[in-house]
Amino acid sequence: LDAHVLAFYRKVRAEEGKRRKKEDMPSKVSKPKSAMRNHRRLTRISAHLSSGNGHPGSNPQSSTTYSAYDPATWWPTPTLKAWHQVVQAKTNWALAKAKLRSILHQDVLFHPPTYFEAREGRQIAMFILRNVAEIFHDFKYLRCFADPAGRNAVLEFSASVPPLEEGDETLEVEGVDILTMEGPDGKITDFKVMVRPPEAALLLKKHMDARVRAFMKKLSSQS
């Protein structure tokens, strides 16, 4: 049995032990309805595990077609389709830049994963997105949730953050892009990125700080 089932089973047994001790009831007394329901639930979960499917809902590979795991459902609007093209063209910044400019509102509010304060404006959003795309390795989307109106979407992703300096290690990262799209053209007006675990977010911040310093130094040398 997996950890979820074992934990639940121990909890049920502990509750039954406390009840019997309190009421001084013999072990052969029939179980109350709540315990019987728990027993039936354990039986169903155990049968599911025995079939090789893992804990119910824990196996993305067993998801059905047209679910959030199905890539065919991930890009239901022109804006999301264009964003997909941006992600695919990350090694070709000229192409990605043109696509990104076309779908970001000029006053887009961007919430980076490494700072609490939001950044306003298309240019700063494009700068952050370009650099994060260059930092991340093995980036891929896992799931997409979009409302029927095509105004809100949540894209779950995974990637890795490489070491920056001696002593750093490559860290796996999981996160979500939360997009809000408004107006007749459905441009992105709010773009929020959240990542976990904290140590990966800190390593990402270290990368971004180094890149910002290099960018500012380049600007100073040109002035």
Side-chain angles (χ1 to χ4, degrees):
L1 299 181
D2 69 4
H4 297 284
V5 176
L6 289 174
F8 182 77
Y9 181 76
R10 292 193 183 102
K11 181 179 178 182
V12 171
R13 292 300 299 271
E15 290 176 351
E16 289 182 356
K18 290 179 181 179
R19 175 183 56 78
R20 286 173 179 158
K21 184 176 181 180
K22 181 179 179 180
E23 299 178 5
D24 195 24
M25 296 173 64
S27 60
K28 292 185 179 181
V29 173
S30 60
K31 299 177 182 179
K33 290 183 178 180
S34 60
M36 293 179 68
R37 284 197 298 269
N38 289 337
H39 176 73
R40 288 196 294 268
R41 181 175 176 229
L42 281 172
T43 301
R44 290 196 301 271
I45 294 176
S46 298
H48 187 88
L49 289 169
S50 299
S51 68
N53 293 324
H55 193 273
S58 67
N59 185 3
Q61 303 304 322
S62 65
S63 58
T64 58
T65 305
Y66 301 119
S67 75
Y69 286 105
D70 183 2
T73 69
W74 290 356
W75 322 111
T77 69
T79 298
L80 289 176
K81 284 185 175 69
W83 171 247
H84 184 213
Q85 293 169 349
V86 170
V87 173
Q88 289 182 316
K90 71 172 187 175
T91 56
N92 184 350
W93 176 241
L95 175 60
K97 180 180 179 180
K99 285 287 183 182
L100 195 54
R101 179 177 290 276
S102 71
I103 60 175
L104 289 177
H105 191 277
Q106 64 178 0
D107 298 320
V108 60
L109 200 60
F110 189 85
H111 309 263
T114 52
Y115 301 94
F116 182 77
E117 184 180 351
R119 278 26 179 188
E120 184 176 358
R122 183 164 51 202
Q123 289 302 114
I124 186 64
M126 292 175 65
F127 173 81
I128 296 173
L129 286 169
R130 177 183 182 179
N131 280 276
V132 170
E134 292 175 350
I135 294 168
F136 278 159
H137 290 183
D138 304 317
F139 180 92
K140 63 180 177 180
Y141 280 118
L142 306 175
R143 287 189 290 176
C144 173
F145 305 89
D147 64 11
R151 298 302 185 188
N152 300 276
V154 178
L155 303 167
E156 181 186 13
F157 64 82
S158 68
S160 62
V161 184
L164 179 63
E165 54 191 31
E166 187 176 354
D168 291 339
E169 296 180 356
T170 297
L171 297 177
E172 300 300 315
V173 62
E174 298 174 337
V176 290
D177 293 331
I178 306 174
L179 312 182
T180 301
M181 296 156 281
E182 299 178 1
D185 50 3
K187 288 194 174 185
I188 300 172
T189 57
D190 196 275
F191 197 127
K192 182 181 294 184
V193 184
M194 303 179 73
V195 299
R196 61 176 296 274
E199 53 267 31
L202 290 174
L203 181 56
L204 176 61
K205 182 178 183 299
K206 187 189 292 187
H207 275 276
M208 284 298 299
D209 288 346
R211 285 169 175 257
V212 169
R213 286 195 299 270
F215 178 72
M216 297 303 295
K217 183 177 180 180
K218 181 179 178 180
L219 287 181
S220 299
S221 65
Q222 294 175 351
S223 60

